[in-house]
Amino acid sequence: MLLEKMRNIGIMAHIDAGKTTTTERILYYTKKIHKIGEIDDGQATMDWMAQEQERGITICSAATTTYWKDYQINIIDTPGHVDFTAEVERSLRVLDGAVAVICAVDGVQPQTETVWKQADEFKVPRLCFMNKMDRIGADFFGSMKDVQEKFGVECLALQIPIGEGQAFEGVIDLLRMKELRWNADDEGETIVESDIDESRMADAVTWREKLIDQVASSDDELAELYLDGQEISVGQLKAAIRKGSINRTFVPFVMGSARHNQGVQPLIDAVIDYLPCPTDIPAASGIHIKKDKEETVEVPCDVSKPALGLVFKIQYDREMGSLCYVRMYSGKISAGTQVLNINKKKRERVNRILRMHADKSEPLNEVCAGDIAVFVGLKLAQTGDSVGSEGFPVLLEKPVFPQPVISVSLEPESMSERDKMNDTLQILSKEDPTFTYHEDSETGQLIISGMGELHLDVLVTRMKDDFGVQCRVGAPQVTYREAVTSSADCTESFSKVLGGKENTAGITVHVEPREQGAGNSYSCTVRDNNIPEEIYEAVENGFRSSLDSGINYGYPCTDTAVTVTGITYSEETATTFAFEACAAQAFDKVCNMASPQLLEPVMNVDITCPKEFVGEAMSQMTQRGGMIMGQDSKASGDIIHAQAPMAKMFGFSTNLRSATQGRAGFSMEFSHFQVKAGGFNS
């Protein structure tokens, strides 16, 4: 397959905007499936997990490949719920383009903002599909204006609607100046094309002029033709729109109703016409680690160059083990060959390569640059690992995932279940980087942590249903953090006689706070050739373990910088054990000198409710120590933006529903950590 004929796209949106429904229609019209599955019936192809079918939501991003007009389209359908933000993040990292599905009634919703910002971060070109045009209150132009105002992007309407809401009949294609309607008798397969009705001609001409004006202002060649009053062909217009979309000068808009099979084929055409192929986007950059010093290098998308790919997702399969989803950036990898896991510096064999279709697969002989496939047989690979060849050891940028903010305790039903539970937790944490677990050193309880109540509920249900682990779940607890608030220095020495042998070590260390959200850092400013490398490794291990186990309360540290400024080494008595222990002692001592504080997670909360209940909803929020940050008005109701401590948000759903007669809902995502008022016992 030529790279020019390949598209790697993601479907992204707010929960319930219609991502999975749109994907189902794309698969149906491209003949990938022969029957449309509905989410409401639990039959959607891409929602293949039992829980996705029961809950009617997308939990994990599913990958599939389909073909349209000789083009290969790799599609990743991502979740819309904020608890599964990591799934969206890692998908956008490896995609070349994205389709943002926007509800024509509600316009930009809170999670749309989150995924849009993520797409901006990875510089992903996108186009918009205005869905639910046949719903009461649908407003194409209003919702498009909402996108323009919220994201500061230039919106380019490629179509205008024929009627809106229940009067929605079809669209006017502004490039070809034709009316398009979809035949309901054959599930929208037949598109009825006709000339534009006179009553709509004036509007169509106005919007086409606007389209040409917008495109010409970003394309010199087109601007010249436009100013000379020359005719601009559809081909020239498409080429200029493609260029502008890839450069993110503007965002093209198409529309329809995926549920009622309207507008999907022009959306697939728009994906091919306006979203980039793997060679249209800038070359990926990575860090070459074999040179004397680490150096940033570009990785052009070229099949003839050395092999390099990124593991962006891991999924456990009962029969095949770990399925590693890999985006190839350079070269090619064949089934049955060995690859180097560059992060782990270990060789592994790729037993099989698969092309995935949700939970089904077909074997491939090889996978080339620009493509996405699944590797079977990599036992050491984790999300974010780079795989390739020893001749080109380049680390592609590792995805950064948000910190877990909520925890529950987990107990096996019997002691015989404990090993099974630990094995299952290991598999789940490898699959999902935002899910962690550890044993509480004081209580001996096993604590699991995640992004929200739904996230942990889904994982515990998977443990019970998919892995057959019988366990009891404790009440949710907040995952706090610890951090220093000032800088301090100290020197610590360690001396102990073990087995008749003296073990000594000495370390001088400096700690200081980092800016909010920067995370922890460790560095060593002393380097002595007489000190073996394993001593430096022991010191680093000691400090990194201490950062994970906290200062006073056992919660992990955050935003703390540790710098080793001195090492006292004796060739006769120095041991790695002594230096690791000394590092732990020095950490406790220096951090307690640097005014440590307990931090609590603060959440961004978006409440959607009818106008008449805004007062009650705000009152519920302020009673929990929340701060109202702003408010938006939409046709379907108001959205209240607030921030509140996670600890105060348990049970909020029940109270909010009671106060608003069950008509309000809310979504919540992590914002930042702040100093907990009143300390630990408040």
Side-chain angles (χ1 to χ4, degrees), residues 521-534:
S521 75
Y522 169 84
S523 61
C524 178
T525 58
V526 283
R527 280 282 158 184
D528 186 334
N529 292 333
N530 297 320
I531 300 176
E533 191 57 38
E534 57 262 30

Side-chain angles (χ1 to χ4, degrees), residues 22 35 37 44 46 49 54 103 139 149 159 161 178 212 271 308 370 385 406 415 435 489 506 523 577 587 620 643:
T22 304
K35 178 179 177 291
M46 299 299 274
M49 275 174 71
E54 285 163 19
C103 173
D139 179 0
E149 287 172 356
Q159 304 168 342
K178 292 284 181 188
I212 294 171
V271 165
L308 186 65
D385 281 0
I406 182 171
M415 285 311 289
F435 170 67
D489 295 84
S523 61
F577 159 75
F587 181 83
Q620 286 297 321
Q643 285 191 339

Side-chain angles (χ1 to χ4, degrees), residues 546-568:
S546 299
L547 284 164
D548 288 341
S549 52
I551 303 165
N552 292 323
Y553 299 109
Y555 291 107
C557 293
T558 189
D559 305 338
T560 300
V562 175
T563 307
V564 174
T565 55
I567 288 179
T568 307

